[in-house]
Amino acid sequence: MSTQVARPDAPARSGVATALGWLLTIALNVVAPILTYNFLTGSRGWEEFPALLLSGAWPVLDTVIHVIWRRKVDEFAVVTMVFLVITAVVGLVGDQSARTLLVKDSVVTGLFGVLCLATLLAKRPLMFYFGRKFATDGTAKSTAWWNGLWQYEGFRTTMRRMTLVWGVAYVIEALVRVVLSYSVNTKTMVVVSPIMVYGVLAALGIWTALYGKRSQAEGERREAEAKARAEAEAAPAGAPRAAPGARSEPAEAGRGGASA
């Protein structure tokens, strides 16, 4: 008799913990580094490298707070720190012309794509950790739930496919921006470059949300079919069995009419 363990539902999320976690993440990993960098390079006249280096102190602080609060390292803050360092190093290479700076920006996003692709060879891909950051409230219970989903083949396939798409998309985006940097005038590229960066990010975010929902619906459908087969096999001999492909009303209602 074939059996399949049902995937556990997500635990209730703490609204306060989620809100506080999001505020800290956005403030210390996004807002504070940008404000610090702009303030130092603009008002104070600092060079790019020391400004980027000092702005990287905020993600470090976020990691320290997360370790103290949750007693574990936050992968999202670590990746942020790594890319601040990469940005600083890339900023030191070559001259400081406008075109070169545009190319350097492309190199950074391209390296992120390469990192995504490289983690496909690791035990768990990068999107698994990013997904855990955004799908849980950081508590031990919700983190354990997310980690436990890795045992399901469908979930593993979803995380790897998301990582592959993000990696390929950012490698292509970086290559296109490099080509454009040498093909169009700098004034035009200064406008086009951020549009490409945020446009690709928005497109990937929308695709990830839609693909995640579709994968979840597909997983629920397979689990329902496996459960129906197991019940049919366990039924006593001579007992009436549901016709192949038939679904019970509770199962159909539970899916809310969602299609795979």
Side-chain angles (χ1 to χ4, degrees), residues 3-207:
T3 61
Q4 180 172 329
V5 179
R7 182 179 300 188
D9 294 330
R13 300 176 65 177
S14 169
V16 175
T18 301
L20 184 58
W22 271 100
L23 286 175
L24 283 174
T25 296
I26 295 173
L28 297 179
N29 288 278
V30 180
V31 178
I34 293 175
L35 292 179
T36 301
Y37 174 79
N38 290 335
F39 173 75
L40 294 177
T41 56
S43 302
R44 298 298 181 180
W46 283 37
E47 296 293 331
E48 287 188 351
F49 180 75
L52 282 169
L53 196 61
L54 187 59
S55 64
W58 294 108
V60 173
L61 177 60
D62 181 43
T63 300
V64 172
I65 293 174
H66 197 88
V67 169
I68 295 174
W69 187 13
R70 303 297 187 191
R71 297 185 179 181
K72 65 179 182 179
V73 176
D74 179 30
E75 295 84 3
F76 185 85
V78 171
V79 171
T80 302
M81 284 189 294
V82 168
F83 272 90
L84 283 171
V85 173
I86 291 175
T87 303
V89 172
V90 171
L92 292 175
V93 180
D95 60 64
Q96 300 300 313
S97 66
R99 175 171 280 111
T100 302
L101 291 176
L102 288 170
V103 172
K104 289 176 181 179
D105 288 341
S106 304
V107 169
V108 173
T109 57
L111 287 174
F112 176 75
V114 171
L115 176 62
C116 287
L117 298 177
T119 60
L120 292 173
L121 302 176
K123 183 178 179 181
R124 295 178 182 179
L126 187 61
M127 285 301 128
F128 170 84
Y129 300 104
F130 275 32
R132 187 171 67 188
K133 178 70 177 179
F134 299 121
T136 71
D137 57 10
T139 59
K141 186 176 182 181
S142 63
T143 300
W145 162 76
W146 182 263
N147 292 342
L149 295 178
W150 188 253
Q151 65 182 295
Y152 301 102
E153 181 181 356
F155 180 80
R156 296 194 299 269
T157 299
T158 298
M159 292 297 104
R160 290 188 176 118
R161 190 165 295 165
M162 285 181 176
T163 304
L164 175 63
V165 170
W166 277 71
V168 171
Y170 269 111
V171 168
I172 294 176
E173 181 266 352
L175 292 174
V176 171
R177 279 205 292 152
V178 168
V179 171
L180 289 177
S181 296
Y182 289 102
S183 302
V184 302
N185 61 67
T186 302
K187 185 177 181 180
T188 301
M189 195 58 197
V190 168
V191 177
V192 172
S193 184
I195 292 176
M196 288 186 62
V197 171
Y198 293 110
V200 170
L201 178 61
L204 286 172
I206 293 172
W207 174 83

Side-chain angles (χ1 to χ4, degrees), residues 200-219:
V200 170
L201 178 61
L204 286 172
I206 293 172
W207 174 83
T208 299
L210 294 176
Y211 177 68
K213 290 181 179 179
R214 189 182 70 179
S215 298
Q216 181 180 5
E218 176 66 18

Side-chain angles (χ1 to χ4, degrees), residues 216-233:
Q216 181 180 5
E218 176 66 18
E220 292 173 351
R221 182 186 65 80
R222 288 197 299 264
E223 288 174 9
E225 291 178 350
K227 182 179 179 181
R229 286 196 300 269
E231 291 175 349
E233 293 174 359

